[in-house]
């Protein structure tokens, strides 16, 4: 997946259930990835730009998100962080591209070329 070692991050237990709404505010298709109890990445959901996905999870389960096209780093940012740890209450997480030159609104805006008004 990458040269960065995520093996130090892993899920601890499944004691406290919660849910996370991942909102893709990037210009890329992204994939949510859970780091399991051995620290191994487990792919969950692909999310298109502007779309969201609700994931059931547990408080001690870390999540990362990657660009579908590159499947590599830099990671997409989750509320400003490269790794997201769920809270006890249901949480919404904004996914953004840390290397983006365009704002989310700019990348989804229709492109009009050669139109004379």
């Amino acid at each position: 997946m990458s040269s960065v070692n995520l093996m130090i991050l892993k899920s601890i237990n499944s004691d406290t259930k919660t849910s996370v709404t991942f909102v893709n505010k990037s210009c890329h298709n992204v994939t949510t990835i859970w780091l399991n109890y051995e620290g191994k990445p487990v792919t969950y959901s692909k999310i298109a730009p502007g779309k969201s996905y609700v994931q059931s999870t547990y408080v001690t389960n870390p999540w990362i998100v990657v660009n579908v096209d590159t499947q590599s780093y830099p990671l997409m940012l989750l509320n400003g962080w490269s790794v997201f740890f769920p809270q006890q209450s249901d949480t919404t997480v904004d996914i953004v591209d840390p290397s983006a030159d365009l704002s989310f609104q700019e990348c989804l805006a229709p492109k009009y070329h050669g139109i004379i008004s």
Side-chain angles (χ1 to χ4, degrees):
M1 196 169 155
S2 166
S3 60
V4 175
N5 185 1
L6 292 174
M7 296 302 282
I8 58 173
L9 293 173
K10 64 180 181 179
S11 294
I12 309 280
N13 61 50
S14 56
D15 294 344
T16 307
K17 192 170 187 165
T18 189
S19 70
V20 177
T21 302
F22 291 102
V23 180
N24 187 356
K25 292 189 174 182
S26 80
C27 298
H28 308 283
N29 291 310
V30 298
T31 300
T32 58
I33 299 171
W34 167 57
L35 300 177
N36 72 13
Y37 298 98
E38 297 173 353
K40 294 181 181 175
V42 179
T43 300
Y44 263 76
S45 178
K46 291 183 180 173
I47 309 169
K51 301 297 181 184
S52 62
Y53 169 75
V54 178
Q55 175 67 56
S56 294
T57 188
Y58 297 92
V59 170
T60 64
N61 293 359
W63 290 85
I64 61 173
V65 175
V66 297
N67 180 322
V68 168
D69 297 327
T70 63
Q71 290 293 311
S72 64
Y73 296 84
L75 295 171
M76 305 302 282
L77 293 181
L78 306 158
N79 286 355
W81 299 92
S82 57
V83 178
F84 175 74
F85 294 90
Q87 308 299 306
Q88 287 186 353
S89 59
D90 296 345
T91 307
T92 297
V93 174
D94 292 337
I95 301 166
V96 298
D97 182 350
S99 62
D101 291 333
L102 296 175
S103 73
F104 177 65
Q105 288 75 25
E106 289 173 318
C107 75
L108 294 182
K111 306 290 187 248
Y112 298 103
H113 300 285
I115 296 176
I116 300 173
S117 50

